[in-house]
Amino acid sequence: MSIEDQGLRETAPESDHGQDGRRLRHAEAATKPVAVKPSVAKAAREPQPRGAKIRGDRPIDQAEAAERFLAAPLHQKAHDARLWDLRGKRDVAAFGIPEWEELRELASRIKTHTLANLDRYLEEFEANAKANGVHVHWAADGADHNRIVHGILKDHGAKTLIKSKSMLTEECGFRHYMAGTGIEVIETDLGERIQQLDNEEPSHVVVPAVHKTRFDVAEVFARTMGTDPENDDAHYLAESQRMHTRPLILEADAGMTGCNFAIAETGTVVTCTNEGNADLSGNVPKLQIHSIGIEKLIPRIEHLGVFIRLLSRSALGSPITQYTSHFRGPRAGSEMHMVLVDNGRSERLGMEEFWTSLKCIRCGACMNTCPVYRRSGGLSYGATYSGPIGLIIDPTFNKRKYSTLPFSSTMNGSCTNVCPVKINIHEQIFAWRKVLAEEHQIPLLKQGMMKAAGQVLSRPVAYRAAIGAADSALKILPRFAVYNPLNTWGKGREMPETPRQSFHSWYKQNRMGKTTSKTTDGEK
C-alpha cells in the first residue's frame, strides 16, 4: 500500500486524481488524509508509543499499553481515522456488488467443506505440487518451520533471503530465529520493512505500520538508511526505501513468500499484493520458498475467484489487489520449496466452539471496524494477531499469556458483520471469556467481581435493589469514592449520569396497571 497511509498530509497531490479530476477511491494514496495544519504539524510531533511489555508467559497487559497509545493524541487520531476510512471504503465496495452476501455465504461454505476434509485436500495439494517439480515439507510447529527453512538455505549456501509479507512467518518467529544464523532476512513489503528497521512487529495483518505517522517513518529511515531526518514527504520516503532495498533484492540468494490461498487441485500457491514484492521475492532468486498455513487450502481453481472478489474489498475497499500471483512450479534452472505448517491448527480444528476461526483469510476488516483496536493500536495486544480475530486466535497458542485479550472488546458484533467468510467472531470472544473464567485464567479481582455480578444478575429482586442503591450512591458520593481502582468502569471515562428512575420502575408506574385495566375492559 502507499506510504500515504502511514502518515499525515494536508492536501492530496495531483497523482491522487483521475483524468476526470476526481479523487481516486482506491489504488495509490486512496486513504483519506488526516488533516493537520502545516504550522502545527512539526510542533505536534510526538514519540511513537511502543507496544505491550512482553514478560514470558505472564498475561499481556493490553490495557496498560492501550493507555500509552491513547496518551499520544496525534498517533491515536491518525490511527483511528485511517482505519475507519478503510472501513468506509469497504462498505462502498461491498454494497456495490448485489451478490455480496451470496459471495460471503459461498466463501464460508467452501471453507467449511475444506476444513471438514482438510486431510484429503492436503494430500491432494502435496501430490500435485510434487508433480509440478516442487519440494514439499511438513512443519509441525513454528520451530519446525524455522529449522526446515534454515536447512534449505544452509544446504544452498544462501547468505541473504528476501521475503514478502507473511503473517505465518511472524507467527513462527522466523525473523528472530534467523537473526542468529548469519543469514540476512530482508523484508520487501514497505510496511514490513519499516517495522523491521524499527525492530517492531507488524501491528495489522494488512497494513503493518499503520500505527506510525510519516514523522515516525522519517525518523526510522534517517536512523537506519541515512535519509534526511527533516524530510517527511511520503513520496521521498517511499522512493528512498525502494532505492535502498532494490539492490538487495537483485543480489539475494533466496526468496520467500507467504500464501493467501493454496489450491489443492493444481498444487498452486497464490499471493495477493499491491507492491509486486511477492513477484520479486518469488521470481528473482533461483531458490524459492513458500510458507503455507494448512488452513489456507481451497479445493479448486474455480473457488479462487470467490475469495479474490472478497479479499481486497474487505481489506482496503479496492476491487482487487494490484498483483494476484500464482506460483505453481520452479522455473528452468531454479528450485522451489513449499512448507506446510500446522502450528496448532489441527488442535484448533478439534475445538467445537473455535474451529471456524480457521476460515480467516487475513483481510483485517474486523480490525478496521473495531473501536477498541482503532483506539489502542495493534501493538498493545502483544501478539502476532491483534484486534477481534486475535482475541479468538491468540488464546489457542497460549491461554495464560493471552488470557486478558478476549476482554478487550465491546462485544458490539461489528467484527462478525464485516467478516467476508462469516466467522462468528463476537460469539467466540464471549465463549473464550467463559473458558478462561472456568479455567481460572483471569485475575482474582476480576473473578470475584464476575462472581458477585453473577449472583446479582441471576436474582431480579437483588438486581433492582442494587441498581437503586448504586444510582443513589452515585448522586451523593464524593468523586474520589466513585473513581477508584475498584471501579474499572470509571477508569479513563466518566460514569453516565444516573436517571431519575429505572425503566422497570417507570414501566410499573406508567404502563403495567393501565395495560391490565385496558385488557380487562376489552374483555368485558
Side-chain angles (χ1 to χ4, degrees):
M1 67 179 297
S2 168
I3 198 171
E4 300 292 358
D5 293 333
Q6 310 293 351
L8 312 177
R9 57 186 172 84
E10 189 182 32
T11 59
E14 293 299 321
S15 61
D16 292 357
H17 297 76
Q19 293 182 352
D20 60 358
R22 295 182 180 180
R23 182 172 170 78
L24 298 174
R25 299 191 71 88
H26 53 77
E28 182 185 4
T31 296
K32 182 180 178 181
V34 180
V36 176
K37 294 180 180 179
S39 60
V40 302
K42 188 171 182 178
R45 296 189 188 189
E46 61 190 7
Q48 181 215 310
R50 293 293 161 170
K53 299 172 183 176
I54 309 299
R55 297 167 292 182
D57 281 347
R58 294 180 62 183
I60 296 293
D61 192 346
Q62 195 265 345
E64 183 274 333
E67 284 183 11
R68 285 189 279 108
F69 194 79
L70 287 166
L74 184 64
H75 285 80
Q76 193 279 318
K77 176 187 176 183
H79 189 262
D80 186 19
R82 289 187 206 120
L83 294 172
W84 189 245
D85 184 55
L86 290 179
R87 164 63 204 271
K89 291 211 294 294
R90 173 263 174 204
D91 290 348
V92 171
F95 298 151
I97 301 179
E99 66 273 24
W100 179 259
E101 289 305 319
E102 285 79 7
L103 283 171
R104 290 181 69 212
E105 180 62 28
L106 182 55
S108 181
R109 289 182 180 180
I110 292 171
K111 278 290 187 179
T112 298
H113 167 78
T114 309
L115 292 169
N117 299 276
L118 189 57
D119 54 344
R120 176 163 63 87
Y121 285 119
L122 284 169
E123 291 175 355
E124 182 181 351
F125 177 86
E126 179 188 32
N128 288 324
K130 286 182 174 179
N132 296 335
V134 177
H135 300 273
V136 180
H137 309 263
W138 296 84
D141 53 29
D144 204 14
H145 165 272
N146 297 340
R147 285 192 297 268
I148 290 170
V149 175
H150 180 207
I152 296 169
L153 296 172
K154 188 176 180 182
D155 290 345
H156 288 76
K159 296 299 181 183
T160 57
L161 170 72
I162 56 172
K163 66 181 290 289
S164 68
K165 186 172 171 295
S166 165
M167 293 308 297
L168 175 61
T169 58
E170 297 289 348
E171 176 188 320
C172 294
F174 175 72
R175 211 166 61 213
H176 297 288
Y177 172 89
M178 293 302 295
T181 66
I183 300 174
E184 183 182 10
V185 177
I186 301 139
E187 297 285 354
T188 60
D189 175 87
L190 174 58
E192 283 279 3
R193 185 62 172 164
I194 292 169
Q195 290 304 93
Q196 180 184 25
L197 293 175
D198 202 23
N199 196 30
E200 276 190 331
E201 307 302 317
S203 69
H204 190 286
V205 297
V206 175
V207 277
V210 70
H211 61 291
K212 280 180 163 62
T213 67
R214 59 185 169 89
F215 309 135
D216 299 327
V217 177
E219 187 277 324
V220 172
F221 282 7
R223 173 164 40 88
T224 58
M225 297 193 307
T227 56
D228 181 0
E230 297 303 316
N231 191 342
D232 50 43
D233 175 72
H235 296 280
Y236 165 74
L237 294 171
E239 184 64 17
S240 297
Q241 192 272 346
R242 184 181 295 111
M243 296 300 292
H244 182 267
T245 307
R246 189 56 59 92
L248 302 176
I249 294 173
L250 297 176
E251 298 168 4
D253 299 317
M256 186 178 194
T257 80
C259 169
N260 288 100
F261 308 102
I263 305 170
E265 180 184 31
T266 60
T268 304
V269 165
V270 178
T271 64
C272 303
T273 69
N274 283 317
E275 299 173 18
N277 53 301
D279 284 31
L280 293 172
S281 299
N283 288 311
V284 173
K286 290 185 177 180
L287 176 60
Q288 308 168 44
I289 304 171
H290 304 278
S291 295
I292 310 163
I294 59 173
E295 84 285 8
K296 294 298 182 71
L297 260 69
I298 58 176
R300 294 191 294 276
I301 189 73
E302 67 186 66
H303 297 144
L304 182 62
V306 175
F307 294 97
I308 293 298
R309 295 186 74 193
L310 289 167
L311 178 60
S312 192
R313 285 181 169 89
S314 297
L316 301 171
S318 59
I320 194 171
T321 50
Q322 303 299 313
Y323 301 88
T324 301
S325 309
H326 298 240
F327 298 98
R328 186 168 181 173
R331 306 182 317 277
S334 67
E335 189 172 307
M336 181 181 289
H337 294 256
M338 295 182 180
V339 186
L340 291 159
V341 185
D342 189 318
N343 202 35
R345 286 157 174 77
S346 294
E347 183 179 355
R348 199 191 320 166
L349 192 57
M351 296 180 176
E352 184 178 355
E353 290 187 284
F354 307 113
W355 70 270
T356 57
S357 63
L358 291 167
K359 293 181 180 182
C360 177
I361 61 173
R362 306 291 192 267
C363 69
C366 63
M367 306 165 79
N368 300 340
T369 198
C370 176
V372 176
Y373 174 85
R374 296 201 320 268
R375 290 165 177 81
S376 61
L379 296 181
S380 69
Y381 293 78
T384 299
Y385 303 107
S386 52
I389 192 63
L391 305 189
I392 62 177
I393 290 179
D394 296 329
T396 66
F397 295 122
N398 190 324
K399 285 182 186 176
R400 172 173 164 76
K401 185 174 182 177
Y402 303 119
S403 58
T404 61
L405 297 189
F407 296 90
S408 298
S409 171
T410 64
M411 300 291 290
N412 61 74
S414 182
C415 49
T416 299
N417 291 337
V418 300
C419 178
V421 288
K422 304 186 77 169
I423 302 172
N424 58 333
I425 300 175
H426 72 290
E427 293 177 353
Q428 291 191 41
I429 294 172
F430 178 68
W432 266 118
R433 292 183 180 184
K434 291 193 295 181
V435 169
L436 295 169
E438 291 168 357
E439 297 186 8
H440 306 291
Q441 293 286 354
I442 57 178
L444 291 175
L445 176 61
K446 182 169 284 187
Q447 288 185 48
M449 293 173 65
M450 291 176 67
K451 186 175 181 180
Q455 293 292 327
V456 173
L457 293 173
S458 63
R459 295 174 173 80
V461 174
Y463 170 74
R464 291 173 192 135
I467 289 295
D471 288 348
S472 299
L474 287 173
K475 292 175 181 177
I476 61 173
L477 287 175
R479 186 175 179 84
F480 73 85
V482 176
Y483 295 92
N484 60 68
L486 293 177
N487 178 23
T488 54
W489 283 104
K491 192 173 183 179
R493 67 189 136 198
E494 291 292 317
M495 296 290 289
E497 292 187 13
T498 58
R500 287 182 294 179
Q501 62 180 151
S502 68
F503 175 77
H504 181 270
S505 174
W506 177 90
Y507 187 84
K508 187 176 181 180
Q509 176 183 332
N510 295 279
R511 290 288 187 272
M512 192 174 291
K514 296 179 180 179
T515 301
T516 304
S517 176
K518 288 181 180 179
T519 302
T520 303
D521 293 341
E523 290 175 352
K524 289 180 180 179

